[in-house]
């Protein structure tokens, strides 16, 4: 028999340094984890509607002033690390041009903080052609971080290449962590710009690697040391922010810029994320209530999926393979999920009463689709406090059948990915949930 340990080690290294490819249909995830529903066991989730003193919360006011701050502080301390403070944002090297199909394109390098050494992130934004929208109309906007660099998300030849580290990946063909022209458009299936813009949305993206390179030893090369946080993992405090917190901060700083643009509706910016960036979108929406709606696509463990369900990825595996994503204290919950003072329904509830969409893929067992759905069911009481219907069902839906009200959910047939069909459903949901009210 082949020894398992060396194989696993190789798989982990590969997972840490490359863009996750589409998983093959017959392969739900790594070996040695549970993919059998009959072996999940029973569990009890922490009560959601309680304040710091353990007293029941029964009103929107109680949620805002007692339950929500309590849970947010706990998630900061135990999972994602402290929320990073805002800094002034300055747009440099702004380019305005015309993209495919007459769409307006804006590129801007955002300098985050003061001085020439302050970090930057490069944002790409598409808007409908000026004559396609009424004058003074302000657009609802989808914002997401991407894995391969802005130029990989679209075939538009004018889109600038990232200047720093990018992950290696099969799709992009990158093997030396350096962005290349040949990657242009290789991940375009993940961002159907023309469809979104055609439906009346603006849509913006930036490379997630701009501020924290996604590798276990990424902290020293990240923006964190320059912001007064630890320069090495050894120095990091138990609640030190990690990569997810940094990526969430990037999203908020991009939002700071978006809301200054006359074309964008500052009250209708939607944060979207796939996979590790779905975990990030949830955390960004938790910490920054200016995001009007949150979309988690196949975020799984550390994202939308309940940890108390033993199915697919575990806290132990994620904190071993990706120690840099979370705060150091999170690793202490490996093998102790049942004792965690929170579960992921709490993270989902941080979006309440704003609209939330959770999406899974049927073959993506590693991310535990049913666990993502059940977390949304368990988060629903937070919306009900506000008189909102939430998901409105506890029956796991058939593939490709969106359900829900203020919480939307679908399980798409197929493998781990974010594709046009997913985005169309996010837009359907946003059309309803963010429609301007009279
Ligand atoms: C790995 C990891 C997941 C993560 C995924 C991704 O599979 O275990 O937690 O969501 O990568 O980001 O694609």
């Amino acid at each position: 028999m082949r020894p398992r340990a060396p194989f696993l080690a190789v798989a982990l290294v590969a997972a840490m340094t490359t863009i996750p490819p589409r998983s093959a249909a017959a392969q739900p995830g790594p070996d040695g984890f549970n993919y059998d529903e009959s072996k999940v066991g029973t569990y009890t989730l922490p009560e959601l509607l309680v304040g710091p003193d353990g007293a029941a919360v029964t009103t929107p006011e109680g949620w805002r002033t007692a339950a929500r701050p309590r849970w947010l502080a706990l998630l900061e301390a135990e999972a994602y690390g402290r929320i990073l403070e805002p800094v002034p944002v300055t747009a440099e090297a702004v380019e305005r041009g015309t993209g495919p199909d007459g769409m307006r394109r804006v590129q801007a390098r955002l300098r985050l903080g003061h001085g020439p050494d302050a970090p930057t992130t490069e944002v790409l934004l598409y808007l409908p052609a000026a004559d396609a929208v009424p004058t003074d109309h302000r657009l609802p906007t989808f914002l997401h971080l991407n894995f391969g660099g802005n130029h990989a998300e679209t075939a538009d030849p004018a889109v600038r290449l990232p200047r720093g580290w990018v992950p290696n990946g099969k799709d992009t063909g990158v093997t030396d962590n350096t962005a290349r022209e040949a990657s242009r458009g290789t991940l375009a299936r993940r961002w159907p710009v023309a469809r979104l813009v055609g439906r009346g949305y603006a849509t913006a993206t930036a490379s997630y690697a701009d501020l924290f390179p996604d590798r276990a030893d990424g902290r020293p090369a990240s923006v964190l040391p320059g912001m007064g946080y630890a320069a090495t993992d050894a120095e990091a405090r138990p609640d030190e922010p990690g990569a997810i917190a940094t990526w969430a901060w990037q999203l908020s700083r991009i939002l700071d810029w978006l809301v200054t643009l006359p074309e964008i509706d500052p009250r209708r910016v939607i944060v979207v994320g796939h996979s590790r960036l779905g975990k990030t979108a949830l955390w960004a929406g938790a910490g920054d209530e200016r995001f009007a709606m949150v979309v988690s696509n196949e975020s799984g463990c550390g994202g939308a999926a309940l940890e108390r369900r033993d199915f697919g990825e575990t806290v132990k595996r994620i904190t071993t393979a990706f120690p840099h994503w979370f705060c150091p204290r999170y690793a202490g919950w490996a093998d102790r999920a049942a004792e965690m003072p929170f579960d992921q329904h709490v993270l989902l509830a941080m979006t309440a009463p704003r609209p939330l969409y959770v999406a899974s893929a049927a073959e993506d067992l590693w991310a535990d689709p049913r666990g993502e759905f059940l977390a949304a069911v368990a988060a629903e009481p937070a919306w009900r406090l506000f008189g909102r219907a939430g998901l409105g069902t506890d029956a796991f839906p058939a593939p490709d059948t969106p359900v829900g009200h203020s919480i939307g959910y679908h399980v798409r047939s197929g493998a781990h990915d974010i594709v046009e069909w997913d985005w169309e459903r996010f837009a359907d949901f946003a059309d309803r949930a963010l429609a301007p009210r009279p």
Side-chain angles (χ1 to χ4, degrees):
M1 201 182 123
R2 248 195 5 211
R4 178 155 291 167
F7 166 76
L8 196 61
V10 169
L12 294 188
V13 169
M16 279 187 277
T17 51
T18 61
I19 297 174
R22 280 174 283 189
S23 44
Q27 195 193 317
D31 288 346
F33 296 86
N34 181 42
Y35 304 105
D36 180 348
E37 197 56 44
S38 71
K39 297 198 177 127
V40 164
T42 56
Y43 55 86
T44 309
L45 295 177
E47 172 58 45
L48 184 61
L49 303 185
V50 288
D53 50 4
V57 159
T58 55
T59 61
E61 183 62 10
W63 176 259
R64 282 203 195 91
T65 59
R68 189 177 199 281
R70 169 207 182 203
W71 287 124
L72 195 64
L74 199 75
L75 292 168
E76 284 187 86
E78 301 291 337
Y80 306 99
R82 276 167 287 155
I83 292 169
L84 299 166
E85 293 295 322
V87 291
V89 173
T90 321
E92 298 173 358
V94 178
E95 185 256 0
R96 282 182 176 262
T98 304
D101 305 324
M103 292 184 284
R104 283 172 288 170
R105 177 189 59 244
V106 184
Q107 300 187 80
R109 186 170 308 137
L110 304 186
R111 191 164 296 281
L112 312 181
H114 294 294
D117 296 332
T120 60
T121 183
E122 170 87 23
V123 185
L124 168 64
L125 166 69
Y126 287 105
L127 307 157
D131 59 9
V133 282
T135 328
D136 296 339
H137 175 70
R138 304 195 91 176
L139 296 155
T141 304
F142 284 104
L143 167 63
H144 77 287
L145 296 180
N146 67 69
F147 287 94
N150 298 347
H151 69 305
E153 292 280 292
T154 164
D156 183 345
V159 171
R160 305 193 286 233
L161 268 63
R163 299 189 297 179
W165 187 95
V166 291
N168 294 336
K170 279 207 185 78
D171 286 319
T172 56
V174 171
T175 52
D176 57 358
N177 299 122
T178 308
R180 62 183 61 197
E181 181 56 40
S183 311
R184 192 174 293 283
T186 51
L187 289 168
R189 70 169 192 282
R190 288 193 164 171
W191 191 33
V193 178
R195 282 298 303 147
L196 295 172
V197 167
R199 291 185 64 158
Y201 288 84
T203 181
T205 192
S207 164
Y208 83 136
D210 282 351
L211 307 183
F212 196 125
D214 187 10
R215 39 176 221 252
D217 64 352
R219 181 182 295 279
S222 78
V223 297
L224 289 173
M227 296 173 74
Y229 290 94
T232 63
D233 291 328
E235 289 165 310
R237 302 199 329 208
D239 64 348
E240 198 89 8
I244 289 175
T246 308
W247 299 330
W249 183 74
Q250 180 181 6
L251 287 162
S252 283
R253 303 294 68 80
I254 295 172
L255 179 60
D256 294 343
W257 173 69
L258 285 174
V259 300
T260 67
L261 303 178
E263 298 92 342
I264 304 297
D265 186 342
R267 293 187 306 170
R268 288 192 292 162
V269 178
I270 304 158
V271 62
V272 182
H274 169 58
S275 213
R276 66 198 70 185
L277 297 175
K279 311 180 210 297
T280 302
L282 289 167
W283 186 235
D288 192 337
E289 295 187 82
R290 294 174 304 163
F291 286 114
M293 171 177 146
V294 177
V295 181
S296 151
N297 194 73
E298 300 157 30
S299 60
C301 182
L306 292 175
E307 311 299 4
R308 275 171 175 73
R309 263 175 63 86
D310 176 18
F311 195 102
E313 189 171 21
T314 61
V315 175
K316 180 169 186 175
R317 164 54 157 75
I318 204 169
T319 53
T320 311
F322 307 101
H324 57 297
W325 287 357
F326 301 91
C327 70
R329 198 183 273 122
Y330 191 52
W333 296 111
D335 289 330
R336 297 203 295 137
E339 295 163 50
M340 281 167 47
F342 62 96
D343 209 310
Q344 298 309 107
H345 64 312
V346 168
L347 177 66
L348 297 188
M350 293 298 97
T351 298
R354 295 166 291 165
L356 166 71
Y357 201 94
V358 176
S360 310
E363 289 163 16
D364 183 19
L365 300 188
W366 185 233
D368 188 10
R370 192 177 291 269
E372 298 192 308
F373 175 75
L374 291 173
V377 172
E380 197 173 56
W383 276 265
R384 274 202 240 108
L385 275 184
F386 291 84
R388 309 259 160 111
L391 207 48
T393 176
D394 56 8
F396 190 55
D400 310 321
T401 314
V403 293
H405 302 280
S406 286
I407 308 176
Y409 178 83
H410 74 238
V411 52
R412 171 180 48 74
S413 27
H416 185 67
D417 205 352
I418 182 167
V419 297
E420 183 166 321
W421 192 88
D422 298 306
W423 283 99
E424 294 277 16
R425 302 298 75 78
F426 308 156
D428 293 346
F429 181 74
D431 285 351
R432 287 196 308 272
L434 298 182
R437 293 185 191 168

